[in-house]
Amino acid sequence: MFGKVIVLIVSILSLLLTYNFIRTSLVYKNKQEVDQILSYLNKYLTQTYFNPIAIKSQYNSILVKPEADYCKRSDLYKFYHSDIVMKDTYTFREARGVIRETLRSSYYDCIPQMTYKQKNTQFLPRHVLPVQLTLPFTYYDQLVHKFQVGSESLCLFQKYNHLITRHVLSHKDNLMNNQYQYLDDIRKRGLDQDCINNATFIPKTYRLFNKQDCEEFFTYLDSHEYKTLIEKEGPQFITKVGLEVHRGRGIKVLFPDETQILQDNYKHGKRCGIDKSLLVAQKYIGNPMLFNDHKIEFRVYWVLASTNPIIAYAYDKTLIRRCIAPFDKFSLDKEAHVCNTAIVQSTLQKKGSDLFMNDDNSDESELYIDWKLDYLQDLLIKQGKVKDTKWLQKYLYPTIDRMIIHAIRSAQQKFNRDSRLAEFFAADFIITEDLQIYIMEMNYNPQTLKTTLAREKQHAKMTQDMIEIQNAYLRSKYLRFKKIITRLATKMSKEKRPLDQLLTNKTIDEINAAYVDKLDQGIQISENNLFRLIMDENQPGLKKYKDLIQQKCI
């Protein structure tokens, strides 16, 4: 009897092992061949499009241990488990705030213990990247700086929310340089003033780190014309510090005392070309649009969804901010001239105010005007400045989109053209009394604060919409590559041919084409997504730019 039981157990175990072998063989069909193909693709595509240089150092704020075989394991797992990419979203974020809360409540946080360690050279890594990870959404860009892209991070079946060269748009000195070089190129090509006007997106600016600009600026400051203007119209310039300085820091309005200090520092222009401080002097907009006697600015959030090709979306809901002090162009209070949220918060904190505002605290909540631009149009119609009820669609949106397009084009030669990369930006605009519009600055990693309940909900929705866009392009690319990999793996298995014999010029061209981001394979972005497409290099001709740039200006 005991012997029969043993035989029965052995038979059952044998059947289970046979079942598992058959199931594994079916699920992981041609696993060895697929593994080889994925290893080749990660190496080839990374060398072709990214050409990475990992910056190894002790500093590792996300405390993740790099693993040389990570991409090999991660992509292989996703290839055989399509739902990981096609139905789910696996992500993580180290920084606290609305974005992390939204990611955790809406998707799978695959490193929930992740915290940001600003000074942690003494800490050993605590985490590893999970193989399921599809959309890492970090605050800092360490996955492109501290890891070997294509093996330790940013695998074929992942989409990252950072560019390695994002500073070329966000640092003020770069933004100004881009504009000047962009306009100089237009002039050298003999294009007319219409093209120059169309391509101008910032106010007149002098780069004080450029000797010629610097000398012109200080010559102008010493002129009778300037002295007359400042007496009649108030300050004519503001200065800004380049590099990564935001939230109102480094901005000075050039009142007489500030002007004198600047002239002394530069010896009235004699130190131009010697002082290399990344300082810029920008024309001060002395006739801003006002709301209840306060200067207002508006922020447009936008995403560079891909750089291979360049694809960009702008968010329909716009944050409109007013300065905390009433506007007076002769006022010496910075709070009357700079509407930055950080300055508003600092001022309210000094007053002892609650920084989390709601509708019951109307005086303070008005400082954060959670308008869509439709309400700005309504206000302008009431004021008689606009008569066309379609002014928003005919003028404002196209102007915003055109300026962002030109800002992108002015920097595009400095981008890594890699479809694994994306970036989240905000463009701060000012609108004048006569409805002229300018970009004042560009920010990456823009703040998503909880200053009002409405604003918190808006930022949560915006995060979800960004994730949907990233997923759409990742899933389209995943399906394109799955077809190529399956076909190659089948040929390798059936014909007993090594991979290198199958990599013909035609196949390489197909791989490169599949790596170009586009929406296909039946993948679409939902109608309730509030991001609108503003630039897509997949489109033919001027449709790349929504027909906002004339053919003669290209």
Side-chain angles (χ1 to χ4, degrees):
M1 180 67 180
F2 180 73
K4 291 182 178 180
V5 171
I6 295 297
V7 171
L8 179 62
I9 292 173
V10 170
S11 299
I12 292 172
L13 288 174
S14 178
L15 287 171
L16 287 174
L17 288 171
T18 302
Y19 168 74
N20 283 330
F21 174 77
I22 294 172
R23 184 176 66 86
T24 302
S25 298
L26 291 174
V27 174
Y28 293 95
K29 185 178 180 181
N30 299 330
K31 180 180 177 182
Q32 183 176 353
E33 290 80 6
V34 170
D35 193 9
Q36 290 179 34
I37 296 167
L38 284 168
S39 295
Y40 165 78
L41 287 173
N42 267 307
K43 183 177 180 180
Y44 167 75
L45 293 170
T46 299
Q47 290 178 343
T48 303
Y49 294 93
F50 192 85
N51 194 19
I53 300 175
I55 304 172
K56 299 292 185 181
S57 72
Q58 290 182 326
Y59 180 70
N60 185 345
S61 68
I62 57 177
L63 295 180
V64 169
K65 179 183 178 181
E67 296 178 298
D69 66 341
Y70 171 69
C71 283
K72 180 178 180 179
R73 292 183 289 107
S74 178
D75 284 338
L76 188 65
Y77 184 79
K78 294 187 186 101
F79 181 84
Y80 289 108
H81 299 84
S82 297
D83 285 358
I84 296 292
V85 177
M86 298 303 299
K87 292 185 179 180
D88 300 324
T89 299
Y90 288 85
T91 185
F92 76 88
R93 187 172 178 84
E94 78 281 28
R96 296 178 180 178
V98 175
I99 290 180
R100 187 169 78 166
E101 291 171 8
T102 304
L103 294 177
R104 288 183 167 183
S105 63
S106 304
Y107 313 102
Y108 293 104
D109 183 350
C110 53
I111 315 181
Q113 299 82 19
M114 172 71 70
T115 56
Y116 169 60
K117 298 290 183 182
Q118 189 170 9
K119 297 179 180 179
N120 64 347
T121 54
Q122 71 274 25
F123 290 101
L124 294 174
R126 299 176 182 174
H127 314 288
V128 293
L129 295 178
V131 293
Q132 299 96 326
L133 180 63
T134 52
L135 301 181
F137 210 88
T138 60
Y139 185 81
Y140 292 100
D141 54 353
Q142 293 203 347
L143 290 181
V144 293
H145 284 298
K146 310 297 183 185
F147 293 74
Q148 194 73 37
V149 170
S151 59
E152 298 173 346
S153 71
L154 274 65
C155 315
L156 175 60
F157 298 143
Q158 290 178 342
K159 184 84 166 170
Y160 192 39
N161 67 311
H162 287 309
L163 303 178
I164 195 170
T165 53
R166 57 188 183 166
H167 62 280
V168 301
L169 269 173
S170 64
H171 289 183
K172 297 178 182 67
D173 55 314
N174 288 331
L175 187 66
M176 312 308 171
N177 259 336
N178 295 343
Q179 171 75 105
Y180 271 75
Q181 292 169 4
Y182 191 55
L183 295 180
D184 284 346
D185 181 65
I186 289 175
R187 293 186 183 99
K188 287 176 183 176
R189 286 187 284 135
L191 302 181
D192 62 23
Q193 190 62 40
D194 284 345
C195 294
I196 294 173
N197 294 341
N198 184 280
T200 300
F201 53 83
I202 60 173
K204 171 67 176 176
T205 303
Y206 293 91
R207 300 161 294 175
L208 302 190
F209 51 87
N210 176 285
K211 185 177 181 181
Q212 182 177 341
D213 275 16
C214 181
E215 289 175 343
E216 287 180 7
F217 177 68
F218 284 101
T219 298
Y220 181 61
L221 288 192
D222 286 330
S223 70
H224 176 72
E225 177 188 352
Y226 175 76
K227 292 174 182 177
T228 301
L229 278 174
I230 200 169
E231 287 180 7
K232 290 183 178 180
E233 300 179 8
Q236 297 296 301
F237 292 95
I238 58 174
T239 58
K240 299 179 179 181
V241 178
L243 296 178
E244 198 167 351
V245 181
H246 301 290
R247 303 181 186 178
R249 298 189 296 266
I251 297 178
K252 291 183 180 179
V253 182
L254 288 189
F255 297 111
D257 288 348
E258 286 74 13
T259 303
Q260 187 62 55
I261 292 171
L262 187 66
Q263 288 176 313
D264 291 344
N265 288 341
Y266 280 82
K267 305 297 183 185
H268 288 259
K270 292 180 181 178
R271 286 190 56 81
C272 290
I274 300 172
D275 193 321
K276 299 296 183 180
S277 300
L278 294 177
L279 198 66
V280 298
Q282 191 171 79
K283 177 67 178 174
Y284 179 71
I285 304 300
N287 62 331
M289 181 178 172
L290 304 181
F291 176 73
N292 291 345
D293 298 323
H294 290 245
K295 176 183 174 181
I296 62 172
E297 299 173 352
F298 63 90
R299 165 167 286 191
V300 175
Y301 296 100
W302 65 279
V303 292
L304 198 57
S306 180
T307 58
N308 180 35
I310 292 176
I311 303 171
Y313 291 80
Y315 203 58
D316 274 352
K317 284 196 174 181
T318 302
L319 172 64
I320 303 183
R321 315 176 289 199
R322 83 173 207 199
C323 289
I324 193 168
F327 179 73
D328 178 354
K329 60 186 177 183
F330 294 101
S331 172
L332 299 180
D333 292 333
K334 185 176 182 179
E335 293 84 357
H337 303 276
V338 183
C339 306
N340 190 277
T341 299
I343 291 176
V344 171
Q345 285 189 310
S346 174
T347 304
L348 291 177
Q349 194 170 28
K350 291 175 183 177
K351 291 167 55 180
S353 298
D354 181 3
L355 295 182
F356 191 94
M357 292 164 284
N358 54 47
D359 292 337
D360 295 330
N361 198 348
S362 58
D363 289 341
E364 292 177 358
S365 63
E366 283 182 357
L367 296 170
Y368 304 96
I369 309 169
D370 291 310
W371 286 344
K372 288 187 66 174
L373 289 174
D374 305 65
Y375 297 106
L376 178 60
Q377 175 179 281
D378 292 343
L379 178 65
L380 291 172
I381 289 174
K382 287 179 182 178
Q383 293 177 348
K385 294 178 181 176
V386 168
K387 295 182 180 179
D388 191 344
T389 56
K390 294 185 178 180
W391 175 81
L392 186 65
Q393 288 74 26
K394 290 181 179 179
Y395 176 75
L396 189 55
Y397 276 142
T399 302
I400 290 169
D401 295 352
R402 173 174 53 80
M403 288 187 170
I404 294 176
I405 289 169
H406 281 302
I408 293 170
R409 281 174 51 82
S410 74
Q412 64 184 354
Q413 300 302 323
K414 302 167 188 175
F415 294 159
N416 290 92
R417 290 302 192 105
D418 196 312
S419 58
R420 287 170 295 188
L421 305 177
E423 190 64 62
F424 175 35
F425 289 99
D428 291 335
F429 288 83
I430 188 168
I431 183 169
T432 65
E433 280 290 310
D434 56 352
L435 306 185
Q436 298 298 306
I437 298 170
Y438 300 97
I439 293 178
M440 302 305 292
E441 65 179 48
M442 201 81 76
N443 300 276
Y444 64 76
N445 268 343
Q447 285 186 303
T448 50
L449 303 176
K450 300 179 181 180
T451 45
T452 68
L453 291 173
R455 190 169 168 187
E456 181 181 3
K457 291 178 181 178
Q458 174 180 318
H459 288 155
K461 165 67 173 162
M462 181 170 63
T463 300
Q464 292 170 337
D465 288 348
M466 279 193 289
I467 293 295
E468 183 189 8
I469 290 171
Q470 288 200 7
N471 267 330
Y473 286 99
L474 175 62
R475 289 167 180 172
S476 294
K477 182 167 66 178
Y478 174 83
L479 293 176
R480 291 194 297 271
F481 272 102
K482 188 151 191 180
K483 290 178 181 178
I484 295 172
I485 295 166
T486 300
R487 188 183 73 245
L488 290 175
T490 301
K491 280 190 175 184
M492 290 172 67
S493 177
K494 286 185 176 181
E495 300 175 13
K496 306 301 180 185
R497 296 170 64 188
L499 177 61
D500 58 356
Q501 289 186 9
L502 300 176
L503 294 174
T504 62
N505 290 337
K506 181 179 179 181
T507 301
I508 297 297
D509 288 344
E510 186 181 5
I511 288 169
N512 288 326
Y515 200 59
V516 173
D517 262 335
K518 54 183 172 289
L519 296 181
D520 58 9
Q521 313 296 317
I523 305 294
Q524 295 181 336
I525 294 171
S526 65
E527 292 183 359
N528 65 350
N529 191 303
L530 296 180
F531 278 98
R532 66 183 183 276
L533 182 66
I534 64 171
M535 181 174 175
D536 185 351
E537 288 185 327
N538 286 306
Q539 300 299 318
L542 298 180
K543 292 190 181 301
K544 291 181 177 68
Y545 315 115
K546 294 178 63 176
D547 294 315
L548 296 174
I549 304 177
Q550 292 177 289
Q551 183 63 52
K552 67 177 182 178
C553 301
I554 298 298

